[in-house]
Amino acid sequence: MDEDQYAIARKKTLGASDTSVYLGLNKYKTVPQLVQEKKNLMVTDEERKVKEIVSVRKGYDLEPLILKKFSDKYNCTIVKPPHMYRHPEQQQLSVNFDGVVKSDAFKSILSHDYFQTDSLIPVEAKYVTIAGDKFYGKNPDICRAAAISIPTRSANVVEHCNKVAEEIGIPPYYYSQVQQQLFFTGAPFGFLVALFEKDWELRVYLVKRDEFIINQILIESAKLQARIESMRKV
């Protein structure tokens, strides 16, 4: 696919980055804006301009470097899946992985409780600008993050995500993004790997599987996709 064909394919489903919008975690995009974006199966000039934003271009260009730094840090092999994947049962959902790594690379670091079965661990790469630096914890500890207790039920999705994401040290809008990736791989945890412009440090954040948020993703995405498809038929 060329860039436009790929962009249109993304419009037909709800990707991992869309979770933050319909779960109420995104301060920069509303649900009506997302619906408008998805219901029109064409690429607008405004959408093309987003790719030209300097921070977006930096993130795209630096993704291989970020993954290599993570690979070197943990002496593991990262695979970059070449495809965008659509879930066979929850067909409203799709994922484009930055990278995946086999879980056995972390058996010497994390509790054996995580490794009842081998899993493909999603690795989400982020380039953090100086402006975005304040949204992250500066001393991530993957063993401490692995020990975080995640509520199985919560009264408020936003409060739930804000609380757990703050404990991990990442923005809540990326917490839900990793959860969709974990749903696809079936893994017990994933990584958000961030390279900081401010000090050029790589920081690794472990994100545990959160069944409550995954369930919310399945419920809300199905409702939103039905709404989008009904508007396309009008």
Side-chain angles (χ1 to χ4, degrees):
M1 294 183 180
D2 61 29
E3 285 190 7
D4 280 4
Q5 290 173 324
Y6 183 77
I8 291 170
R10 289 190 64 184
K11 286 172 176 279
K12 294 179 180 178
T13 56
L14 294 166
S17 60
D18 296 323
T19 59
S20 66
V21 181
Y22 61 78
L23 292 183
L25 304 169
N26 195 312
K27 298 178 181 178
Y28 309 104
K29 184 184 289 187
T30 65
V31 171
Q33 287 173 326
L34 179 62
V35 170
Q36 182 66 28
E37 187 179 288
K38 295 284 186 178
K39 77 181 183 71
N40 296 319
L41 295 179
M42 59 180 290
V43 183
T44 66
D45 290 340
E46 185 178 350
E47 288 167 349
R48 290 192 180 95
K49 288 177 182 177
V50 170
K51 297 178 183 178
E52 300 305 315
I53 297 172
V54 173
S55 59
V56 173
R57 288 162 49 202
K58 283 182 178 179
Y60 180 82
D61 290 345
L62 289 169
E63 182 181 299
L65 174 64
I66 296 169
L67 295 175
K68 184 180 185 304
K69 282 180 172 289
F70 176 82
S71 177
D72 292 344
K73 182 180 179 71
Y74 291 103
N75 191 29
C76 61
T77 301
I78 293 183
V79 174
K80 167 62 178 175
H83 308 294
M84 177 169 61
Y85 297 91
R86 192 171 191 172
H87 198 275
E89 297 171 359
Q90 301 288 336
Q91 293 206 357
Q92 75 276 17
L93 298 178
S94 63
V95 163
N96 178 26
F97 295 98
D98 289 347
V100 294
V101 60
K102 290 185 177 179
S103 60
D104 57 11
F106 301 92
K107 285 185 176 179
S108 62
I109 303 172
L110 297 170
S111 165
H112 66 85
D113 294 339
Y114 278 110
F115 304 103
Q116 296 175 0
T117 58
D118 286 335
S119 305
L120 285 175
I121 306 301
V123 181
E124 179 68 20
K126 298 296 182 188
Y127 172 68
V128 183
T129 64
I130 292 175
D133 185 87
K134 60 181 176 291
F135 299 113
Y136 289 81
K138 298 303 180 290
N139 298 296
D141 182 331
I142 65 172
C143 292
R144 182 184 59 78
I148 290 173
S149 178
I150 298 176
T152 56
R153 296 183 65 183
S154 296
N156 186 292
V157 172
V158 174
E159 289 178 4
H160 175 104
C161 289
N162 285 344
K163 181 178 183 299
V164 181
E166 184 178 6
E167 286 190 70
I168 298 168
I170 64 173
Y173 42 86
Y174 291 149
Y175 180 73
S176 63
Q177 181 176 351
V178 176
Q179 293 304 325
Q180 181 155 317
Q181 296 176 6
L182 292 173
F183 171 65
F184 270 66
T185 64
F189 64 91
F191 291 110
L192 191 147
V193 184
L195 181 63
F196 287 75
E197 180 181 29
K198 188 174 183 178
D199 55 14
W200 209 246
E201 287 292 326
L202 184 80
R203 298 186 177 95
V204 178
Y205 302 86
L206 182 142
V207 180
K208 288 174 67 174
R209 186 182 181 92
D210 186 332
E211 295 294 352
F212 171 71
I213 293 303
I214 288 173
N215 190 50
Q216 294 301 308
I217 289 171
L218 300 184
I219 294 169
E220 297 303 325
S221 65
K223 290 193 293 188
L224 183 58
Q225 186 71 6
R227 176 181 168 187
I228 293 167
E229 290 179 359
S230 68
M231 295 179 73
R232 286 190 189 132
K233 295 175 182 178
V234 175

